[in-house]
Amino acid sequence: MSSQNADVVLVHGAWADGSGWAKVIAPLAAEGFSVTAAPLPLTSFADDVAALERALERKTGPVVLVGHAYAGAVIAAVRSEKVKALVYVAALAPDEGETVADVFYRGEPHPQAPKLEPDSHGLIYLPPDAFPTAFAQNAKADALAVLAASQRPISPASITVPVGRPLWKDRPAWYLIAEEDRMIRVDNQRYMATRMKAEQRSIPADHMPMVTSPAAIVDIIRDAAAAI
């Protein structure tokens, strides 16, 4: 049983998996939170939302739902009444009728952002050289090796579907802005966070703050949990 007032569900984005949350999971668990790193198949937006709904079914208490990058769209598409607060970590937040691609490609990309295109199987992988230059440029070599080795591709079907009414219109939201993000530009993050009317925090972090600045994520989750 959790000794805290909320369960925490962490949702990874594209080119990642649940292991990326390790430095966030450990301190939250030590504080008595029930923590789940929910897996997404990254095969289509509908598949990803359904997978997250299944993970939420397994929770018994109120949930703080945390999404990184692409998962920001997924956490806003679930309809579970257990979700009481949303936390966005350098995450994408399309509004009703928009696609993930619409907000991802908003504005000029960072000069070091990778060029992305599907492979012969129709899946989008992150180029290996993008991990140290754009995905997690502040990470140490051992962390970069794990990130590159465990990357999971995303299907275009996950990012080209217009979303419905996002849950952030009906739940309180927090947004952790990564000021040194080269995948989702900081001005784009501020635009989405402001549009959401989220409580904003900014930190000097790259696109993977759960690896390079985990304490800031723990803090914002703790505050979201306290608020519910």
Side-chain angles (χ1 to χ4, degrees), residues 85-186:
L86 300 169
V87 176
Y88 285 71
V89 178
L92 295 165
D95 201 347
E96 187 170 4
E98 293 179 336
T99 69
V100 172
D102 287 338
V103 287
F104 181 70
Y105 289 109
R106 179 182 174 273
E108 287 295 315
H110 188 279
Q112 288 170 281
K115 301 293 188 291
L116 302 171
E117 56 185 5
D119 66 5
S120 60
H121 299 285
L123 299 172
I124 304 170
Y125 281 86
L126 198 65
D129 61 0
F131 284 92
T133 59
F135 198 67
Q137 72 270 17
N138 297 342
K140 295 179 180 178
D142 57 348
L144 284 167
V146 172
L147 289 171
S150 59
Q151 82 149 304
R152 299 175 60 235
I154 188 168
S155 166
S158 293
I159 63 173
T160 55
V161 178
V163 304
R165 177 184 173 86
L167 195 59
W168 47 259
K169 291 188 173 180
D170 305 304
R171 300 287 193 283
W174 285 254
Y175 197 112
L176 189 66
I177 296 167
E179 296 167 0
E180 298 170 6
D181 197 325
R182 296 175 181 174
M183 298 294 294
I184 304 171
R185 290 191 61 139
V186 63

Side-chain angles (χ1 to χ4, degrees), residues 24 28 31 174 201 213-225:
V24 174
L28 287 174
E31 291 182 19
W174 285 254
R201 312 250 177 105
S213 301
I217 299 177
V218 173
D219 285 346
I220 200 169
I221 292 172
R222 190 188 292 123
D223 289 351

